Structures are given as structure tokens and as C-alpha cells.
Amino acid sequence: MGRKKLFSRESVLDKAIPVFWAKGYADTSLQDLELATGVNKSGLYSEFKDKEDLFLASLSHYQMRQMERGLLTEGAPGWNNIERLLKLGYSPRDGEKGCFSVRLMPDLGILPARAHDVMTASQAGLKLAIAANIEAETTRLPAAVLADMVVVFFFGICIDQNLETDRAETTRKIDHFMTMLRAS
């Protein structure tokens, strides 16, 4: 009979995300993950095959946590949900700035191949949810075109936040973007 596990998978993922976020995949060591999670190497390997498996589970966990926030589904479909995403979506938890997925994009060439699939699927889901909100409004441009614009703007806001841009300045940019979007 094996030893009883003294940690939860979700807790390990929650603690691993900030490490991967700060250091990136390649520069995160197993020792970094042990220190951050409080779980030793054998405990981590009992739950995850290897660092890649822990990273992919962390990325998927982050994506799921973002979807559960319901920023695009909280109210009636429309501009207000999109504005909520832009104003709240880039700051998932205290201490986190930007977006974990956006932070990882420059590293796509060195990330595990499956990370690209997770990120692509997440982005496609985000575009569909944004387009559904836009379709609830009257627009001159197709919802899919505007959804692409919103995603690109959102990624830019996330990059700004990763660079420590002033929150008031970010809010001003979002307000101007929303004015333009509502007129589209």
C-alpha cells in the first residue's frame, strides 16, 4: 500500500503557475518547483510524469480557471462583457499581471509541442466567446473580424501589464478601444 498523498493536485498547480510565469518553461528547474509547491521530487513525480507534464497541467489549469471566471458570460451578451474581459481579464489573481499564455508566447519554439495545442484551443474558445457577445450587438463589421481585433488588443494589454504599465493608463486605453469598438 502506497503512502498517503499530503498535497492536492490543484494546490501544486496553483503554486507552480507563478514559477513558470516568472521564469518561463526552460528556466524553471525541478528544485524551483519543489521549493514553490512544498512537494519533494518523488511527490511531484508520483503526480506528474515529468516537468513537461506538470507544465502542461499548469497551463491547462490556468486556462480552465480563466474560463471559470465567467468574464464573457456574467451578464447579458454584449459590449459590457467584452469590456469586463478587457478590464479584469489581464489580472487573474493578486500578484499576477498580464496573462500566463501571453507571457509564454515568445517561448513557443521551446515549449512542449502540446503547449501550442492548449494555447491554440484556448485562443479559439476566447474568439468564439467574444464573437458571441459581439453578435448580440449591431455592428457594421462581421463579429469574427471584431473578435480578432479584441483578441489582439487583449494580448497587447496583457503584454503592457507584464511590463508593469500603470493601471490607470491601461484603463484609459481600454475605454478608448471600447469607444472605437462600439462604433464599428
Side-chain angles (χ1 to χ4, degrees), residues 70-86 133:
L71 296 176
L72 288 167
T73 58
E74 192 170 289
W79 296 129
N80 290 339
N81 285 343
I82 292 170
E83 187 169 356
R84 185 179 308 106
L85 169 73
L86 295 176
N133 278 279

Side-chain angles (χ1 to χ4, degrees), residues 51-61 112-116 118:
K51 181 176 108 171
E52 179 178 318
D53 189 42
L54 175 53
F55 172 76
L56 292 168
S58 297
L59 181 58
S60 294
H61 179 69
R114 290 189 351 228
H116 183 271
V118 171

Side-chain angles (χ1 to χ4, degrees), residues 81-133:
N81 285 343
I82 292 170
E83 187 169 356
R84 185 179 308 106
L85 169 73
L86 295 176
K87 288 187 174 177
L88 301 175
Y90 65 81
S91 186
R93 298 187 305 190
D94 290 339
E96 293 177 351
K97 293 186 177 184
C99 171
F100 185 40
S101 296
V102 173
R103 155 61 181 94
L104 295 170
M105 285 183 183
D107 297 336
L108 272 177
I110 59 170
L111 292 179
R114 290 189 351 228
H116 183 271
D117 297 337
V118 171
M119 292 166 70
T120 300
S122 175
Q123 183 176 345
L126 178 62
K127 281 184 186 180
L128 286 174
I130 290 169
N133 278 279

